Amino acid sequence: MKLWAGRFSKEIDKKTNDFNSSISVDSRMYEQDIEGSIAHVAMLAKQGIISAEDGKKIKQGLLGIKEDIASGALPVDPDAEDIHTFVEQNLTQRIGDAGKRLHTGRSRNDQVALDIRLYLRKECDELLKLLADFSETLDKKGEEYAGAIMPGYTHLQRAQPITFKAHLSAYKEMLARDIGRVTDAQKRMNVSPLGSGALAGTTYPVDRAFTAELLGFDTFSASTLDGVSDRDFCIELAAALSLIMVHLSRLSEEIILWCSWEFKFAELDDAFSTGSSIMPQKKNPDITELVRGKSGRVFGDLMTLLTVMKGLPLAYNKDMQEDKEAIFDAFDTVKICLTTLIPMVDTMRMIPKNMRKAAAGGFINATDCADYLVSKGLPFRDAYKATGEAVALCIKTGETLESLPLSEYKNICDLFDEGVYEAIKLENCVKNRGM
Ligand code: ARG
């Protein structure tokens, strides 16, 4: 039977019921729903809105439901409209009339707004832990190959020599900003909507500060209309999650390149690679490709949320039921990507010999050669031009800057001396840049 049975003379059409129902998506919030109801009931009893005895019965009933859903003894009814309805109806079946008092001074509108906040707060905690773990893994990898030199690129052309550690530390910075964004959004989200009712608060003497404190919120929503209709936090988090995916996708792209025979800077552990059904020689970096591909899902989730919210009049509208599928998918996707990437990167073997070899080609130390001339007093623009001539000569004669004879250097600019060979050594190039 529906919650609104009194007003209606017919049962809802079956397909309409399926269309309207959100239980397949929101049943995962059952613990938060029950936690919120227990706080609400404690407040109702404290304020004398229901009796202490009913309060106790309701709390016991709710704890029993939580236990039974967790153990599987109480399967969630797929025909129920949502998790809030399911829990409330089951409560009344269990404890009788007292159960009908649970929803006093509350609406599903403030209830669902509360549940998502509680649920996402926990998701943020898990995500922050994964981000910190990943950052630590990058640190460890960088240390493991502390001496490794590789080409740094711009335009994917060899640009200047760098250390592998410096390369990874760029990703650590991205992760640090990601952690900052999630922490910030989590803080802004930590406001209790409970007591907003359907939109205009309630006529009961509710104590909103009490429930907010019981549930670990910093405060409660100043506007009851905003309390039920704010989904900014979903959008903020989806934006933060999208940026995380941008970062994971960029790293994935690099690992894909590093694993190719063209680069061969890295080799993934067999446990984190896949083979081909036809080509026996293949070892594919599927995980990284999937991470790169899954970024699209998360960006899509962000777009879904923005689009759902953009035209809604105040306050609650059923459109907002679409929020959960999108934000849950975004969290699930980022979490599974991180969970898979962390051990993959942790076991990834770098091949410093190949990295160094690549760094030794492509005249990657040309800037250092020019800087060396600058140290001899030449203006940078002239030093740049002289080095350019040396590079052009090397290309013509098949030399490198390391093998070009000093006499040739001197023909280009007489400021060159033996010291140039020290100045363009890759190890010195990275050292002089503080890497
Ligand atoms: N399932 C709904 C949602 O996710 C719960 C709130 C329903 N409120 C309402 N007035 N129909 O948004």
Side-chain angles (χ1 to χ4, degrees):
M1 227 207 337
K2 289 291 173 212
L3 294 171
W4 53 80
R7 164 77 174 77
F8 287 62
S9 56
K10 263 192 195 170
E11 278 291 301
I12 190 168
D13 169 72
K14 168 79 179 107
K15 282 211 159 64
T16 303
N17 188 53
D18 294 345
F19 181 67
N20 194 49
S21 164
S22 57
I23 192 126
S24 62
V25 174
D26 60 30
S27 62
R28 64 160 87 184
M29 304 191 302
Y30 78 90
E31 285 185 71
Q32 289 74 29
D33 192 71
I34 288 171
E35 189 192 346
S37 289
I38 288 175
H40 177 64
V41 142
M43 183 278 294
L44 292 179
K46 177 183 89 75
Q47 296 297 91
I49 301 169
I50 62 169
S51 70
E53 195 189 327
D54 279 347
K56 217 190 224 160
K57 265 199 208 157
I58 295 173
K59 181 174 175 183
Q60 287 316 316
L62 287 168
L63 288 172
I65 293 174
K66 186 161 97 169
E67 215 179 284
D68 290 351
I69 296 180
S71 71
L74 175 61
V76 172
D77 175 7
D79 287 332
E81 189 185 343
D82 50 34
I83 191 64
H84 329 295
T85 313
F86 175 74
V87 170
E88 189 188 330
Q89 289 184 337
N90 193 272
L91 180 71
T92 302
Q93 280 166 23
R94 286 180 186 225
I95 66 166
D97 276 355
K100 297 185 195 163
R101 299 192 193 275
L102 165 64
H103 212 54
T104 314
R106 187 176 71 169
S107 156
R108 276 184 303 161
N109 297 352
D110 56 350
Q111 187 177 359
V112 71
L114 172 73
D115 293 4
I116 318 171
R117 284 169 196 256
L118 290 174
Y119 183 85
L120 294 182
R121 197 167 71 185
K122 167 191 77 80
E123 288 290 283
C124 286
D125 285 340
E126 286 173 25
L127 176 65
L128 286 169
K129 179 157 184 328
L130 283 170
L131 291 169
D133 282 357
F134 196 32
S135 179
E136 214 173 281
T137 303
L138 294 178
D139 241 352
K140 222 177 97 193
K141 229 355 76 169
E143 285 305 325
E144 191 181 334
Y145 295 99
I149 292 177
M150 65 184 277
Y153 298 86
T154 62
H155 314 270
L156 200 57
Q157 304 288 318
R158 291 172 194 172
Q160 288 171 342
I162 57 169
T163 59
F164 178 59
K165 202 172 147 186
H167 195 94
L168 288 190
S169 73
Y171 285 100
K172 277 195 53 187
E173 290 301 310
M174 298 179 219
L175 289 176
R177 289 194 295 274
D178 291 331
I179 288 173
R181 267 184 288 270
V182 174
T183 309
D184 194 40
Q186 190 186 30
K187 173 115 193 76
R188 209 170 359 261
M189 174 178 74
N190 205 29
V191 173
S192 171
L194 205 57
S196 297
L199 76 161
T202 99
T203 53
Y204 300 94
V206 292
D207 184 344
R208 298 191 62 195
F210 179 75
T211 45
E213 198 186 330
L214 271 187
L215 294 166
F217 287 106
D218 296 327
T219 181
F220 58 87
S221 56
S223 154
T224 55
L225 277 84
D226 186 51
V228 291
S229 68
D230 168 30
R231 293 293 184 275
D232 287 3
F233 54 95
C234 294
I235 296 175
E236 273 193 77
L237 285 170
L241 291 165
S242 294
L243 262 176
I244 294 173
M245 286 309 288
V246 169
H247 300 151
L248 300 187
S249 183
R250 289 183 75 178
L251 177 60
S252 294
E253 169 65 14
E254 297 212 283
I255 293 175
I256 291 164
L257 288 172
W258 294 344
C259 288
S260 72
W261 280 106
E262 283 68 17
F263 279 77
K264 258 300 160 244
F265 290 180
E267 170 110 28
L268 296 180
D269 191 272
D270 283 359
F272 300 98
S273 313
T274 52
S276 152
S277 64
I278 174 171
M279 297 166 282
Q281 85 285 10
K282 287 299 285 289
K283 180 167 170 184
N284 296 329
D286 281 25
I287 290 179
T288 42
E289 291 165 49
L290 270 176
V291 170
R292 197 175 54 182
K294 280 180 189 292
S295 58
R297 293 175 73 110
V298 180
F299 306 163
D301 292 328
L302 171 61
M303 216 31 78
T304 298
L305 288 162
L306 287 166
T307 314
V308 162
M309 293 306 295
K310 81 168 181 68
L312 298 186
L314 291 176
Y316 177 84
N317 299 269
K318 186 81 168 190
D319 314 45
M320 287 157 71
Q321 179 166 286
E322 290 292 311
D323 61 353
K324 285 173 282 304
E325 202 166 342
I327 192 65
F328 292 171
D329 180 69
F331 266 100
D332 291 351
T333 305
V334 172
K335 276 168 41 187
I336 188 78
C337 287
L338 279 167
T339 308
T340 321
L341 274 183
I342 290 170
M344 193 206 78
V345 170
D346 190 43
T347 53
M348 178 171 72
R349 198 168 61 80
M350 300 309 293
I351 310 173
K353 188 171 66 122
N354 293 348
M355 294 154 79
R356 198 185 186 294
K357 201 165 132 213
F363 306 102
I364 204 163
N365 42 8
T367 317
D368 303 83
C369 183
D371 288 345
Y372 157 81
L373 285 178
V374 169
S375 77
K376 298 269 168 198
L378 204 62
F380 178 75
R381 227 3 106 208
D382 296 334
Y384 174 99
K385 185 164 170 285
T387 307
E389 282 170 29
V391 169
L393 179 64
C394 287
I395 291 172
K396 210 163 88 195
T397 58
E399 303 274 359
T400 63
L401 288 176
E402 287 86 341
S403 67
L404 190 69
L406 188 58
S407 55
E408 299 286 6
Y409 271 118
K410 280 199 173 295
N411 281 341
I412 295 168
C413 172
D414 58 10
L415 285 175
F416 276 116
D417 63 21
E418 273 299 330
V420 67
Y421 299 107
E422 262 313 291
I424 61 172
K425 259 195 197 147
L426 295 185
E427 282 69 16
N428 291 334
C429 298
V430 294
K431 203 164 81 208
N432 291 339
R433 290 198 167 78
M435 290 212 158

